[in-house]
């Protein structure tokens, strides 16, 4: 069992938010921190795995928001590290739609269906706004046919800006780049970690990073936080930064003593864990197969790794959960059935399949947060608002960039800055408290000529109440600081 020695800060989770938060704390002189990570690696939902001779990204795969007036901070990190990327061109996606037999829909039909989908999305947006204002309006019909479902996916995953501006594209640009580097997307996290954690030959050896530490309980009070892990270890800190995903917060993995207040609205409607959104990619199924194809139906399939003969299928919502629950063999058989509908019965079998299961992973419980089209920014404020000495971070706490890697990165920076400000204020409060406690002593010892501002800084915050109480010279109770 680890020693319960007290740290200034414990960071729970070593994903992009946890690592960026730790980096900022270290840059501001907070060295006595501990990072507790539930898995055996850093990265969170940024994870690669070798598949078919390729370093396949199982979680976040794209850097979205490039080419605008402002520079995306994650793109800057990628450029500094020389990370290999490939431009993803979705300009013709709305027209490359195939039916179950493998025939492409005529461009006129696709264009008409796309216009209807945009109109329906705008109508839905207005309907939701009206309902918020107390008006009753009829909800537009949901997509039902394969082409409607395919276009609905394109619209909401790539082109939602036609309905409502997306902060990522407005601020950073509309281009997207797939990470196609053998070092993986996670290489950016290791480069960040090198700035404040001891690293040798690409491996983090700093004992402040503790892997395989599954946090199960947080006991918090005005005096600090006690963190208990599944293996029986106990850690104490003045503050905690909790970067667990909103899916984990909605689960029963971590208990809070006392419970979180009701004002923290950890409710399902603010988080569709497999909703269609651009970057923290929904579950997808890399399939090793001896052909290349690109197709949209109820799911999205593309040759994401050129020259590799790997097809990537993106599934969302109920489909992703259904596929997670079945065996890889069943999923492979289902995928081959779709491909043979498209290309005929004589195509070869896939040689392998890799199915990530983010929803089933108790340390993730989904791919990324997805707020409703209509949501009050107050929802985000509630979710990220500190509870006592617990500060929350993660892509779900980003008001403008939820669901994106840069959202998680910037959230970690913002949360650590907020914590540093609170620590500064706490230090001021303690100084004022010490000055207040010193006044009776100065009044009783007229021979003292020291002023309060001269005397207080030379004393430790615990010295004054202890000396006054133990010395028995004045009738003050021992102070609780």
């Amino acid at each position: 069992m680890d020693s319960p020695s007290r740290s200034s800060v414990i960071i729970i989770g070593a994903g992009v938010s946890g690592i960026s938060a730790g980096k900022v704390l270290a840059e501001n002189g907070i060295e006595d921190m501990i990072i507790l990570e539930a898995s055996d690696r850093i990265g969170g939902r940024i994870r690669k795995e070798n598949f078919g001779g390729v370093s396949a990204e199982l979680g976040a795969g794209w850097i979205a928001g490039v080419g605008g007036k402002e520079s995306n901070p994650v793109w800057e990190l990628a450029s500094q590290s020389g990370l290999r990327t490939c431009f993803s061109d979705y300009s013709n996606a709305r027209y490359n739609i195939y039916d179950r037999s493998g025939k492409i829909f005529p461009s006129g039909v696709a264009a008409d269906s796309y216009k209807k989908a945009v109109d329906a999305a705008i109508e839905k947006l207005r309907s939701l706004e009206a309902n918020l204002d107390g008006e009753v309006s009829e909800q537009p019909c949901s997509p039902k046919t394969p082409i409607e479902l395919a276009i609905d996916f394109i619209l909401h995953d790539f082109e939602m800006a036609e309905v409502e501006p997306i902060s990522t594209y407005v601020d950073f640009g509309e281009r997207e780049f797939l990470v196609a580097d053998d070092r993986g997307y996670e290489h950016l996290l290791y480069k960040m970690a090198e700035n404040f954690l001891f690293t040798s030959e690409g491996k983090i050896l700093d004992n402040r990073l503790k892997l395989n530490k599954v946090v199960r309980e947080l006991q918090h009070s005005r005096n600090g936080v006690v963190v208990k892990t599944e293996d029986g270890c106990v850690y104490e800190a003045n503050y905690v930064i909790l970067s667990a995903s909103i899916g984990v917060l909605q689960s029963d993995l971590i208990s809070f003593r006392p419970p979180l207040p009701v004002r923290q609205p950890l409710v399902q409607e603010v988080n569709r864990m497999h909703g269609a959104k651009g970057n923290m990619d929904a579950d997808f199924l890399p399939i090793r197969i001896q052909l290349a194809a690109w197709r949209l139906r109820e799911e999205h399939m593309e040759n994401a790794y050129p020259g590799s003969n790997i097809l990537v299928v993106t599934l969302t919502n109920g489909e992703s959960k259904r596929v997670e629950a079945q065996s890889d063999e069943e999923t492979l058989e289902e995928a081959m059935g779709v491909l043979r509908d498209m290309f005929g019965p004589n195509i070869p079998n896939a040689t392998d399949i890799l199915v990530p299961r983010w929803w089933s992973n108790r340390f993730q419980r989904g791919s990324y947060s997805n707020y409703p089209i209509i949501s009050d920014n107050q929802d985000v404020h509630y979710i990220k608002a500190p509870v006592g000495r617990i500060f929350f971070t993660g892509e779900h706490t980003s008001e403008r960039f939820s669901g994106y890697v840069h959202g998680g990165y910037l959230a970690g920076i913002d949360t650590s800055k907020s914590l540093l400000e609170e620590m500064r204020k706490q230090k001021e409060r303690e100084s004022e408290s010490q000055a207040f406690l010193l006044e009776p002593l100065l009044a009783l010892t007229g021979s003292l000529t020291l002023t309060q501002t001269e005397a207080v800084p030379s004393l430790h915050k615990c010295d004054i109440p202890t000396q006054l109480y133990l010395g028995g010279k004045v009738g003050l109770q021992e102070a609780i600081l």
Side-chain angles (χ1 to χ4, degrees):
M1 177 180 296
D2 285 13
S3 169
S5 58
R6 195 178 184 94
S7 304
S8 289
V9 182
I10 291 176
I11 299 174
I12 299 175
V16 64
S17 297
I19 296 297
S20 65
K23 179 175 179 290
V24 171
L25 291 178
E27 289 171 347
N28 285 272
I30 308 299
E31 297 291 344
D32 59 330
M33 74 176 87
I34 291 177
I35 303 176
L36 302 179
E37 166 56 42
S39 70
D40 60 357
R41 58 178 185 84
I42 71 169
R45 287 168 287 178
I46 297 177
R47 175 188 166 195
K48 71 178 178 69
E49 188 163 328
N50 188 278
F51 179 74
V54 171
S55 181
E57 300 294 341
L58 304 189
W62 278 262
I63 302 175
V66 179
K69 293 182 179 179
E70 295 183 40
S71 181
N72 185 322
V74 173
W75 179 251
E76 289 183 355
L77 293 173
S79 299
Q80 292 167 7
S81 298
L83 204 68
R84 180 175 177 267
T85 60
C86 297
F87 174 61
S88 294
D89 185 0
Y90 299 116
S91 58
N92 292 317
R94 70 182 71 172
Y95 304 117
N96 289 326
I97 305 174
Y98 297 78
D99 62 20
R100 292 190 64 90
S101 67
K103 294 180 180 179
I104 193 169
F105 281 100
S107 59
V109 174
D112 183 62
S113 298
Y114 185 81
K115 182 180 183 303
K116 289 179 180 178
V118 171
D119 291 342
I122 293 174
E123 183 183 348
K124 183 176 182 179
L125 184 63
R126 291 173 178 168
S127 174
L128 291 169
E129 290 173 337
N131 289 339
L132 285 179
D133 293 334
E135 302 175 19
V136 178
S137 58
E138 184 177 349
Q139 292 287 330
C141 297
S142 299
K144 295 181 177 63
T145 66
I147 190 171
E148 289 174 344
L149 289 165
I151 288 179
D152 183 70
F153 177 90
I154 301 169
L155 178 64
H156 289 86
D157 204 48
F158 304 112
E159 301 179 2
M160 194 61 192
E162 293 197 22
V163 179
E164 184 183 36
I166 297 175
S167 298
T168 287
Y169 301 136
V170 171
D171 289 10
F172 301 132
E174 298 184 355
R175 305 181 79 191
E176 298 188 13
F177 287 82
L178 173 74
V179 175
D181 194 296
D182 287 340
R183 297 169 296 177
Y185 211 143
E186 64 186 35
H187 176 69
L188 300 186
L189 275 76
Y190 281 93
K191 295 299 291 184
M192 271 195 290
E194 285 180 1
N195 290 295
F196 68 101
L197 296 175
F198 176 66
T199 306
S200 178
E201 297 181 353
K203 295 183 179 180
I204 301 174
L205 304 179
D206 199 307
N207 61 8
R208 291 176 296 173
L209 171 65
K210 300 184 182 299
L211 303 177
N212 299 304
K213 293 294 181 181
V214 183
V215 173
R216 298 306 306 269
E217 184 176 305
L218 290 177
Q219 298 176 358
H220 56 106
S221 70
R222 64 192 182 97
N223 297 317
V225 186
V226 176
V227 180
K228 296 184 177 181
T229 58
E230 200 166 60
D231 59 1
C233 293
V234 178
Y235 302 90
E236 295 182 7
N238 297 332
Y239 298 94
V240 160
I241 292 180
L242 179 55
S243 69
S245 72
I246 196 170
V248 170
L249 294 177
Q250 290 170 336
S251 73
D252 59 359
L253 180 67
I254 303 175
S255 62
F256 296 84
R257 301 287 185 269
L260 294 179
V262 176
R263 69 180 179 84
Q264 294 288 115
L266 303 179
V267 292
Q268 289 294 334
E269 59 261 33
V270 299
N271 176 46
R272 295 178 311 199
M273 295 307 296
H274 293 274
K277 197 170 182 179
N279 189 26
M280 278 283 196
D281 202 14
D283 284 359
F284 62 80
L285 317 175
I287 304 172
R288 177 68 173 170
I289 190 167
Q290 299 306 315
L291 56 88
W294 186 89
R295 176 177 191 256
L296 279 172
R297 191 173 55 103
E298 289 89 346
E299 66 277 322
H300 174 59
M301 181 183 298
E302 62 178 314
N303 184 12
Y305 299 93
S308 64
N309 294 329
I310 293 177
L311 297 183
V312 175
V313 181
T314 303
L315 304 176
T316 63
N317 295 315
E319 278 295 286
S320 63
K321 294 179 183 179
R322 179 186 68 80
V323 168
E324 278 199 17
Q326 67 187 20
S327 68
D328 289 0
E329 290 73 21
E330 290 175 300
T331 302
L332 180 57
E333 182 179 356
E334 189 175 333
M336 289 307 306
V338 172
L339 291 171
R340 288 191 167 112
D341 282 344
M342 293 176 65
F343 300 107
N346 297 322
I347 63 172
N349 287 320
T351 58
D352 201 359
I353 186 171
L354 178 61
V355 183
R357 289 177 167 83
W358 292 111
W359 176 254
S360 305
N361 186 332
R362 65 178 181 142
F363 304 148
Q364 307 298 343
R365 298 301 293 166
S367 303
Y368 55 82
S369 65
N370 191 11
Y371 288 82
I373 295 176
I374 293 294
S375 61
D376 192 332
N377 286 337
Q378 195 64 33
D379 288 340
V380 182
H381 295 160
Y382 281 151
I383 288 174
K384 71 178 182 181
V387 176
R389 290 174 174 261
I390 302 175
F391 284 66
F392 296 86
T393 195
E395 51 83 15
H396 59 282
T397 69
S398 175
E399 187 173 315
R400 294 177 57 78
F401 308 118
S402 62
Y404 293 90
V405 173
H406 53 269
Y409 172 78
L410 293 172
I413 293 174
D414 290 343
T415 301
S416 58
K417 288 182 177 179
S418 296
L419 174 54
L420 288 166
E421 177 63 15
E422 171 58 26
M423 295 172 77
R424 183 190 66 78
K425 291 179 179 178
Q426 178 63 20
K427 189 173 182 179
E428 288 182 355
R429 290 191 291 266
E430 290 172 352
S431 295
E432 291 172 359
S433 176
Q434 291 169 355
F436 174 77
L437 290 169
L438 190 59
E439 285 180 0
L441 180 61
L442 293 173
L444 291 172
T445 55
S447 61
L448 288 177
T449 59
L450 292 175
T451 64
Q452 295 174 23
T453 54
E454 291 171 332
V456 171
S458 66
L459 297 173
H460 187 274
K461 68 178 183 178
C462 296
D463 289 344
I464 297 172
T466 302
Q467 290 169 354
L468 293 175
Y469 182 76
L470 296 180
K473 295 181 180 179
V474 290
L476 293 177
Q477 295 293 323
E478 182 172 12
I480 300 175
L481 297 181

